[in-house]
């Protein structure tokens, strides 16, 4: 059965539900997301990094942030709710953060050191009255060395890590600051902490450039501009409306019919039609990888490096790029040649089916003993590009070298949850690989969380339970390198070793294609998975 048929019923049922929103008010931008549901709005989004993009960054702020205002450079880390930070020279597990003064939450309460300590405790301290287990998995796995926060004074905090970790300031872009005062009000009217967080999610309070004014699960969420936003750049749009539209053809139809103004990941075969209708097509190189992540446990065929190399060599990435209308960059590693972390690996990833067959034969596979693989994939979702046609294309490629691939197709958020549980967990259902795209803008997200044995589930995203003392030592060297040049050199050694061991099946780098009405102005497509929703407006 063709995999796209799995979503056919959802496609037919979608557009009438949007028709009532055809006439948008001036200043309102309506966005069709790839997610099937609204990402969580309580301050720690789910739905992968699409949650950070659409319900995290617009509603909240973190201590550090990414500068998303330019398209012509890699996205740098900049101060946000913290104005400066440094590691204690006498104790490399202790960081000092100076906080921004004069910042107010949406409910009018003050942001200060107490708020930072409260927000750290919500995900790390099981004894805290406001601890929320639902927020742990989508937060703690992204900053696994953070242990606690200590107030020094009203505008200074110390953050304590379990080991020296030069990557902490980058990791903190994922810890969004919610209002303790607003939560306490919800708790006073709720029977327990979980109910209080549910009430908070429907009426959240952060410090971000937008405020939430309407929330309908699985249907829509609406923001209005925060007129009291602390930042120098205020939101230009009066209102943002987010609509979950997981199927690419349905998203494209919604844009062409005027029901939305902007869609993520348009259907590739519709790009000529979209351009002919005057739609803007945006894309940019970005550190975002679309791979298969192998399972390394005993009994998995992908525990054999020869098999992993063969799969890497059996994929026609240029053909896949053609299928996607040019909207990808072939991946030959987690980063591209020329990047400071490239490291010049000896294994060259390319399309070489003859060498792939030779490696498979060396590993004991052939016509009399075909290799059968099971891969968990999604039907849509954050960063997943066009997962059904892309995986079908790869399935055909691998069949030509004697590899039979079976897909276990899951809803995106289910797949993302499984990713944190690992290939030993029953949720993997015997899968030998998982197809979850990931942002690679910093060392932890690019490599450390996958190749450090301490990052095995439930700590972080070492889904395949990869464990090698050599890689643990290289990770430790990078974490302990507080000089940028020294850290880059350590990361280059780590990346080169990862490619030489074929620790991923690297397939594509996403370029973040999105299509917009010609009425959308001011949008900037940065070299990042995230975007700055303060910049665009409707003309």
């Amino acid at each position: 059965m063709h995999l796209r048929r799995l979503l056919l019923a959802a496609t037919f049922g979608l557009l009438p539900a949007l028709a009532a929103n055809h006439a948008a008010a001036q200043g309102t931008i309506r966005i069709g997301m790839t997610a099937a549901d609204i990402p969580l709005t309580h301050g720690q989004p789910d739905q992968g990094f699409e949650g950070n993009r659409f319900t995290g960054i617009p509603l909240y702020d973190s201590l550090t942030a990414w500068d998303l205002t330019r398209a012509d450079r890699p996205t740098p880390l900049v101060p946000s709710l913290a104005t400066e930070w440094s590691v204690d020279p006498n104790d490399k597990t202790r960081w000092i953060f100076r906080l921004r003064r004069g910042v107010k939450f949406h409910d009018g309460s003050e942001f200060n050191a107490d708020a930072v300590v409260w927000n750290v405790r919500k995900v790390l301290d099981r004894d805290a009255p406001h601890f929320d287990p639902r927020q742990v998995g989508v937060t703690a796995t992204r900053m696994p060395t953070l242990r606690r926060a200590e107030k020094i004074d009203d505008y200074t905090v110390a953050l304590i890590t379990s080991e020296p970790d030069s990557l902490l300031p980058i990791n903190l872009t994922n810890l969004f600051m919610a209002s303790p005062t607003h939560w306490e009000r919800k708790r006073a009217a709720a029977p327990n902490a979980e109910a209080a967080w549910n009430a908070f999610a429907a009426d959240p309070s952060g410090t971000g450039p937008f405020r939430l004014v309407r929330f309908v699960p699985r249907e829509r969420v609406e923001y209005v501009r925060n007129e009291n936003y602390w930042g120098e750049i205020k939101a230009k749009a009066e209102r943002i409306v987010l609509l979950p539209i997981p199927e690419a053809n349905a998203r494209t139809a919604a844009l062409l019919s005027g029901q939305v103004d902007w869609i993520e990941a348009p259907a590739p075969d519709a790009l000529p039609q979209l351009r002919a209708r005057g739609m803007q097509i945006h894309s940019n190189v970005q550190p975002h990888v679309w791979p298969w992540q192998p399972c390394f446990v005993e009994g998995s065929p992908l525990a054999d490096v020869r098999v992993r190399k063969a799969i890497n060599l059996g994929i026609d990435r240029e053909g896949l790029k053609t299928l996607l209308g040019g909207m990808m960059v072939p991946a030959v590693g987690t980063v591209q040649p020329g990047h400071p972390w490239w490291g010049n690996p000896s294994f060259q990833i390319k399309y070489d089916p003859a060498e792939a067959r030779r490696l498979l034969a060396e590993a004991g596979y052939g016509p009399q003993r075909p290799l059968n693989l099971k891969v968990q994939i999604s039907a849509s979702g954050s960063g997943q590009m066009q997962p059904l046609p892309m995986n079908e294309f790869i399935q055909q490629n691998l069949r030509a070298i004697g590899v039979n691939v079976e897909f276990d197709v899951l809803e995106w958020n289910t797949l993302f949850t499984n990713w944190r549980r690992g290939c030993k967990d029953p949720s993997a259902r015997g899968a030998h690989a998982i197809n979850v795209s990931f942002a690679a803008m910093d060392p932890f997200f690019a490599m450390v969380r996958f190749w450090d044995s301490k990052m095995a589930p439930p700590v972080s995203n070492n889904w395949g339970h990869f464990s090698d003392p050599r890689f643990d030592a290289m990770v430790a060297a990078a974490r302990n390198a507080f000089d940028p040049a020294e850290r880059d050199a350590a990361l280059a050694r780590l990346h080169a070793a990862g490619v030489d061991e074929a620790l991923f099946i690297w397939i594509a780098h996403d370029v973040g294609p999105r299509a917009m009405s010609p009425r959308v102005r001011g949008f900037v497509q940065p070299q990042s998975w995230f975007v700055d929703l303060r910049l665009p407006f409707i003309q």
Side-chain angles (χ1 to χ4, degrees), residues 41-42 134 182-183 185-187 189-190 192-205:
T41 55
H42 53 25
R134 294 170 298 178
H182 194 61
W183 186 88
R185 293 192 188 109
K186 300 297 184 185
R187 178 66 182 91
N192 52 48
E194 180 180 357
W197 276 116
N198 291 340
F200 187 98
D203 176 31
S205 177

Side-chain angles (χ1 to χ4, degrees), residues 31-91:
I31 302 174
M33 302 186 298
T34 66
D37 197 1
I38 303 298
L40 291 174
T41 55
H42 53 25
Q44 298 305 139
D46 61 350
Q47 303 282 351
F49 271 171
E50 189 157 21
N52 281 27
R53 181 197 293 155
F54 285 130
T55 65
I57 295 171
L59 296 174
Y60 298 90
D61 294 299
S62 44
L63 295 180
T64 59
W66 302 105
D67 181 353
L68 305 169
T69 60
R70 288 174 52 178
D72 60 346
R73 65 178 183 187
T75 302
L77 190 73
V78 293
S80 183
L81 293 179
T83 57
E84 57 182 297
W85 53 88
S86 61
V87 69
D88 186 333
N90 299 315
D91 181 358

Side-chain angles (χ1 to χ4, degrees), residues 3 129 143 216 497 509:
L3 289 175
M143 46 183 197
V216 182
H509 292 290

Side-chain angles (χ1 to χ4, degrees), residues 257-334:
S257 63
Q259 296 169 5
V260 297
D261 309 294
W262 158 343
I263 60 171
E264 301 287 287
D269 56 4
L271 291 175
Q273 182 184 10
L274 289 166
R275 290 188 176 100
R277 293 279 296 273
M279 301 299 173
Q280 308 171 66
I281 308 297
H282 293 275
S283 66
N284 201 349
V285 60
Q286 60 180 248
H288 199 272
V289 187
W290 195 93
W292 285 0
Q293 184 177 357
C295 180
F296 295 90
V297 302
E298 185 177 357
S300 169
L302 294 179
D304 189 326
V305 65
R306 296 168 298 185
V307 175
R308 299 194 302 271
K309 287 185 174 182
I311 301 300
N312 269 295
L313 296 173
I315 297 172
D316 179 8
R317 294 164 182 80
E318 289 296 335
L320 183 61
K321 182 177 180 179
T322 299
L323 174 72
L324 295 176
M327 291 297 177
M328 64 162 268
V329 174
V332 294
T334 296

Side-chain angles (χ1 to χ4, degrees), residues 129-424:
H130 60 290
F131 177 76
D132 185 5
R134 294 170 298 178
Q135 300 189 45
V136 174
V138 294
T139 310
T141 58
R142 296 172 175 174
M143 46 183 197
T145 65
L146 182 62
R147 289 296 175 264
R148 67 184 186 278
E150 298 174 353
K151 176 181 176 180
I152 296 176
D153 59 41
D154 284 347
Y155 293 98
T156 312
V157 294
L159 297 185
I160 312 303
T161 59
S162 59
E163 61 184 274
D165 188 359
S166 65
L167 311 182
L168 180 68
I170 303 171
N171 296 163
L172 291 173
T173 58
N174 298 285
L175 180 61
F176 295 107
M177 296 292 142
S179 167
T181 300
H182 194 61
W183 186 88
E184 292 293 348
R185 293 192 188 109
K186 300 297 184 185
R187 178 66 182 91
N192 52 48
E194 180 180 357
W197 276 116
N198 291 340
F200 187 98
D203 176 31
S205 177
T207 62
F210 291 92
R211 295 185 299 107
L212 188 151
V213 293
R214 186 184 180 197
F215 177 76
V216 182
R218 304 191 72 85
E219 182 180 319
R220 66 194 295 118
V221 67
E222 298 185 19
Y223 304 154
V224 296
R225 181 169 54 214
N226 177 11
E227 302 294 349
N228 298 314
Y229 182 58
W230 59 268
E232 293 182 4
I233 301 176
K234 314 294 184 184
K236 296 179 180 178
E238 298 170 7
R239 184 177 292 256
I240 300 286
V241 178
L242 302 176
L243 302 162
I245 312 178
E247 208 282 319
N249 290 320
R251 286 194 301 277
T252 302
L255 179 62
L256 288 170
S257 63
Q259 296 169 5
V260 297
D261 309 294
W262 158 343
I263 60 171
E264 301 287 287
D269 56 4
L271 291 175
Q273 182 184 10
L274 289 166
R275 290 188 176 100
R277 293 279 296 273
M279 301 299 173
Q280 308 171 66
I281 308 297
H282 293 275
S283 66
N284 201 349
V285 60
Q286 60 180 248
H288 199 272
V289 187
W290 195 93
W292 285 0
Q293 184 177 357
C295 180
F296 295 90
V297 302
E298 185 177 357
S300 169
L302 294 179
D304 189 326
V305 65
R306 296 168 298 185
V307 175
R308 299 194 302 271
K309 287 185 174 182
I311 301 300
N312 269 295
L313 296 173
I315 297 172
D316 179 8
R317 294 164 182 80
E318 289 296 335
L320 183 61
K321 182 177 180 179
T322 299
L323 174 72
L324 295 176
M327 291 297 177
M328 64 162 268
V329 174
V332 294
T334 296
V335 299
Q336 294 289 78
H339 191 283
W341 307 338
W342 172 246
N344 196 28
S346 59
F347 176 52
Q348 302 297 307
I349 295 174
K350 56 186 176 180
Y351 184 41
D352 189 345
E355 177 63 8
R357 293 188 193 94
R358 188 194 70 78
L359 286 167
L360 288 172
E362 186 178 302
Y365 298 100
Q368 305 307 314
R369 188 194 173 208
L371 173 59
N372 299 308
L373 295 179
K374 183 176 183 179
V375 184
Q376 283 198 329
I377 70 172
S378 68
S380 64
S382 171
Q384 295 295 88
M385 301 176 70
Q386 307 293 338
L388 298 183
M390 290 173 72
N391 277 302
E392 288 172 343
F393 182 90
I394 295 164
Q395 183 184 50
Q396 293 170 6
N397 279 176
L398 298 183
R399 187 179 297 123
I401 63 169
V403 179
N404 301 317
V405 179
E406 172 193 357
F407 292 126
D408 183 13
V409 186
L410 305 176
E411 186 272 330
W412 160 239
N413 216 35
T414 301
L415 183 76
F416 190 75
T417 299
N418 288 3
W419 194 36
R420 297 193 298 268
R421 293 174 174 165
C423 66
K424 294 181 181 179

Side-chain angles (χ1 to χ4, degrees), residues 430-444:
H432 305 112
I434 192 168
N435 172 218
V436 178
S437 66
F438 63 89
M441 68 280 195
D442 72 74
F444 177 76

